[in-house]
Amino acid sequence: LVRADEGWQVILYANETKDGRYHRVIVNPILTPPLDEYFAVHRPLLVRALRDRGGKVSEALFLSTTIGRMNENWVSTMFCRRTKELIGAAWSPQAFRRAITSEAVRRDPRLVAGAAAVNRHSVEVTAQYYNAARVAAADRRYQAILREERQRARR
């Protein structure tokens, strides 16, 4: 995460990405004030708390007062814990992202290319997920109709 004149950018070098490619993304300007506040106010407090506890301070973007550097495993673990608390099921960040993009494509099929980019899939793979979701939804509707018909026949 790099601060530039126009706001924040995420820069991922090829050796840091799953697809082996360099990525540079400009962060939505709406996030500039909270990111500025995090680095000016909150992160220094985390660094101080870590030092007070004798913890190892890191240059990592996100810090925890218990473990120091929050790596992707810790973030994923915390995400799963929070989704379990909030919605009753532990979801990984990847599963959550896929669910959100699948729902977006279900509502508007024109979003398939954007969903593919978010999930780092090809448009074809994303379309397969979309089609599978549509088939599953149609199956649920069909099963509901069958249940209603069976109940009507029993009366």
Side-chain angles (χ1 to χ4, degrees):
L1 188 64
V2 178
R3 183 69 160 99
D5 291 337
E6 67 276 5
W8 291 91
Q9 300 176 17
V10 175
I11 298 175
L12 300 172
Y13 296 99
N15 65 333
E16 300 172 326
T17 65
K18 193 161 69 170
D19 63 5
R21 294 183 359 216
Y22 171 87
H23 297 275
R24 181 178 153 277
V25 179
I26 295 175
V27 175
N28 188 318
I30 199 166
L31 296 175
T32 297
L35 284 169
D36 288 342
E37 180 180 335
Y38 172 75
F39 285 106
V41 178
H42 305 289
R43 193 169 191 291
L45 292 173
L46 290 168
V47 167
R48 189 174 325 129
L50 269 169
R51 284 195 178 123
D52 290 348
R53 291 182 153 163
K56 184 177 179 186
V57 176
S58 149
E59 292 300 314
L61 176 60
F62 296 109
L63 298 175
S64 162
T65 57
T66 56
I67 65 163
R69 177 183 180 272
M70 288 182 64
N71 63 24
E72 58 279 353
N73 292 332
W74 182 251
V75 172
S76 182
T77 298
M78 295 309 296
F79 193 93
C80 289
R81 284 183 190 166
R82 292 294 292 156
T83 55
K84 176 82 172 161
E85 291 170 12
L86 295 171
I87 63 174
W91 282 42
S92 71
Q94 185 176 5
F96 195 76
R97 185 180 68 234
R98 272 197 314 260
I100 289 171
T101 54
S102 292
E103 179 62 16
V105 171
R106 187 188 68 73
R107 290 177 183 231
D108 186 350
R110 295 172 298 177
L111 297 174
V112 72
V118 167
N119 289 316
R120 300 274 189 253
H121 293 157
S122 67
V123 171
E124 293 79 15
V125 167
T126 301
Q128 287 173 350
Y129 280 120
Y130 166 72
N131 290 335
R134 296 292 290 180
V135 167
D139 183 56
R140 285 190 298 274
R141 286 191 303 273
Y142 179 67
Q143 293 299 324
I145 291 168
L146 287 177
R147 275 192 303 278
E148 288 174 16
E149 290 299 320
R150 284 186 198 120
Q151 288 173 352
R152 196 180 346 253
R154 290 181 187 143
R155 293 183 203 154

